[in-house]
Amino acid sequence: MRIGIDARMADWSGVGRYTIGLLKGLSVVDKVNEYILFAAPQSVHLLPKINNFSTVITSKPVLSVGGYREIGRLANKEAADIFHALHYPVPLKFKGKLVTTIHDLIPLQHSGSMPLRSKRFIYRFLNREAIRRSDVVIADSVYTAKRINEFFPIRAKKIKILPLGIERKFFQKPTADTTVGNKLDELIQKPYILSMGNQKAHKNLIALVRAFDKLAKDNNFAHKLLLIGKPDGKHPKVIEEIKKNDLGKRIIFSGEISDNDLILLYTGADLFVFPSLLEGFGFPPLEAMACGTPVICSNRASLPEACGQAALMVSPNSDELVEAISMLCKDDNLRRDMILKGKDWARKYSWEETARKTLEIYHTLLGRSKKGSDLQS
């Protein structure tokens, strides 16, 4: 079986996590089938290099007519039996079977995440066509599967729900990194609360800033708030809220960091807060759990499904966030209990298991038995 996989987005954030994790998992569980990875020049170094994986470079932009045509032409040239699109851009005129993973439909649910109506129109069209043309559609969660059926009704048998994985490095003791060490020394002293710094409206970071403002007025509350990422001029409301409440010295952006830096920051935090209103899966709270950090999480969208009882689930408004943060900072017994629960829960998410189930989809799609493959148990 020759399987083409769109790896052009390996250096993106969420889709990149999925790309690298799935490919690493497949490289472990399948030593027989041939994989052709279609890669962008700038991210080819991120991809596995093993005997049954080959790489084809394409420089066409992912989200362009040229990119859609080029990826279809290359997949046909490589005689791929199956092409797996790891995001909604799918190849044009591909002759084999098509599998597409749809991670979420957030721009159709929350216009603030994609304010221009013209872009939302194109996004809807591209997702509809990807779903219509695919032989199998993979969703990261039950929540995402329901949203797919809500916006683009399809046959139940066509959609497969397949949770993602957490890389094993998040469970390991972090290695020393002088860059992030110096950055912490300069910007933030323990104790600190950690969150992701994406300022799009659906991430609901403004509610966390307002909650932190209320907490900061308490003289006994010594924590700072560290936001992973950097300020985003396209979404200025969060920065305006920080300035309005004079929190510039207590709410700090980390800037761009590596995964090693991220692991250090997760493990150094007293807790991780994720107030998002919409997620198709939700890597950050699970990564924090794997690092042994207690998690406060929104009870919206896919997050209760992804995090179960291992996170402190709250309605993502400022008052409930204040109460949850205050309780978790003060209650050491609750923190210890949540750390243990979180680590156990996060271990459920394995890229090898995601890869096994993905490989089963490939085999079923071509009507082949798994016998004779190198599918590991």
Side-chain angles (χ1 to χ4, degrees):
M1 185 163 54
R2 288 176 62 78
I3 303 159
I5 295 183
D6 190 352
R8 294 175 296 168
M9 295 156 278
D11 60 342
W12 292 21
S13 53
V15 180
R17 275 269 195 273
Y18 175 53
T19 301
I20 300 302
L22 178 63
L23 293 179
K24 285 182 178 179
L26 287 169
S27 73
V28 171
V29 304
D30 187 7
K31 306 293 186 183
V32 172
N33 293 299
E34 297 178 69
Y35 291 86
I36 308 103
L37 311 182
F38 298 93
Q42 72 275 11
S43 58
V44 67
H45 65 284
L46 300 172
L47 307 180
K49 295 174 177 61
I50 59 173
N51 290 340
N52 59 326
F53 281 50
S54 61
T55 304
V56 175
I57 305 293
T58 173
S59 299
K60 300 281 187 182
V62 174
L63 295 172
S64 70
V65 174
Y68 280 62
R69 288 174 176 164
E70 178 77 351
I71 203 75
R73 183 185 68 79
L74 291 172
N76 288 329
K77 182 180 178 182
E78 294 293 329
D81 299 304
I82 289 174
F83 186 92
H84 190 169
L86 303 187
H87 200 25
Y88 63 85
V90 297
L92 284 175
K93 298 183 179 179
F94 176 58
K95 297 175 182 177
K97 298 291 186 179
L98 180 61
V99 177
T100 302
T101 300
I102 300 294
H103 300 284
D104 62 66
L105 293 171
I106 289 170
L108 303 184
Q109 298 175 256
H110 196 299
S111 61
S113 70
M114 191 178 282
L116 286 178
R117 184 177 296 181
S118 58
K119 285 191 174 183
R120 291 201 305 277
F121 177 84
I122 295 169
Y123 176 87
R124 178 187 284 270
F125 171 78
L126 294 175
N127 275 276
R128 185 187 69 206
E129 287 301 292
I131 290 164
R132 182 185 66 81
R133 291 175 48 213
S134 296
D135 296 283
V136 173
V137 174
I138 296 174
D140 298 344
S141 60
V142 172
Y143 175 82
T144 295
K146 288 179 178 178
R147 299 294 79 75
I148 290 169
N149 268 310
E150 177 184 330
F151 286 99
F152 311 105
I154 58 176
R155 292 181 294 107
K157 289 184 179 179
K158 187 173 180 176
I159 192 162
K160 305 294 181 185
I161 298 163
L162 188 47
L164 309 186
I166 301 298
E167 284 203 55
R168 296 301 96 185
K169 64 186 175 184
F170 288 98
F171 294 90
Q172 297 165 3
K173 187 176 180 180
T175 56
D177 187 306
T178 54
T179 302
V180 77
N182 291 337
K183 190 180 295 181
L184 274 173
D185 289 343
E186 292 171 9
L187 296 181
I188 189 165
Q189 299 290 326
K190 293 183 179 180
Y192 65 90
I193 295 163
L194 189 65
S195 188
M196 303 306 287
N198 188 325
Q199 292 127 74
K200 289 183 178 180
H202 73 275
K203 294 293 186 178
N204 197 34
L205 198 57
I206 199 162
L208 178 56
V209 170
R210 288 169 179 164
F212 188 81
D213 178 51
K214 293 176 182 178
L215 290 161
K217 288 180 169 63
D218 181 346
N219 291 331
N220 294 319
F221 188 79
H223 290 73
K224 292 187 177 182
L225 175 61
L226 179 59
L227 302 175
I228 302 299
K230 55 186 181 181
D232 182 357
K234 294 180 181 178
H235 304 279
K237 289 186 178 180
V238 171
I239 305 303
E240 291 170 1
E241 191 72 18
I242 292 171
K243 289 179 179 177
K244 183 181 81 173
N245 293 296
D246 194 26
L247 292 169
K249 292 183 179 179
R250 292 194 68 173
I251 298 181
I252 299 158
F253 286 87
S254 72
E256 293 184 7
I257 59 173
S258 69
D259 273 0
N260 283 340
D261 295 343
L262 179 59
I263 292 168
L264 279 163
L265 293 177
Y266 275 139
T267 55
D270 275 5
L271 58 137
F272 179 80
V273 185
F274 198 65
S276 182
L277 303 175
L278 289 170
E279 295 292 325
F281 179 67
F283 283 119
L286 293 170
E287 291 173 352
M289 289 179 194
C291 288
T293 305
V295 171
I296 295 170
C297 193
S298 164
N299 61 2
R300 302 290 179 84
S302 66
L303 293 171
E305 180 184 345
C307 297
Q309 299 299 311
L312 189 58
M313 309 298 296
V314 300
S315 180
N317 60 64
S318 297
D319 289 340
E320 289 209 21
L321 288 168
V322 167
E323 186 178 348
I325 291 168
S326 180
M327 178 171 63
L328 200 50
C329 285
K330 294 174 181 176
D331 192 334
D332 289 338
N333 290 330
L334 177 60
R335 283 175 44 76
R336 282 192 290 268
D337 182 53
M338 291 190 64
I339 288 169
L340 293 174
K341 282 183 178 178
K343 276 187 170 290
D344 285 344
W345 181 265
R347 287 190 184 98
K348 293 172 49 178
Y349 293 94
S350 158
W351 282 117
E352 288 80 7
E353 184 62 20
T354 302
R356 286 189 188 97
K357 291 179 178 178
T358 304
L359 185 54
E360 288 174 7
I361 290 170
Y362 299 158
H363 280 284
T364 301
L365 193 53
L366 289 183
R368 298 182 182 184
S369 169
K370 289 177 290 185
K371 292 178 181 178
S373 79
D374 197 21
L375 188 62
Q376 304 294 314
S377 60

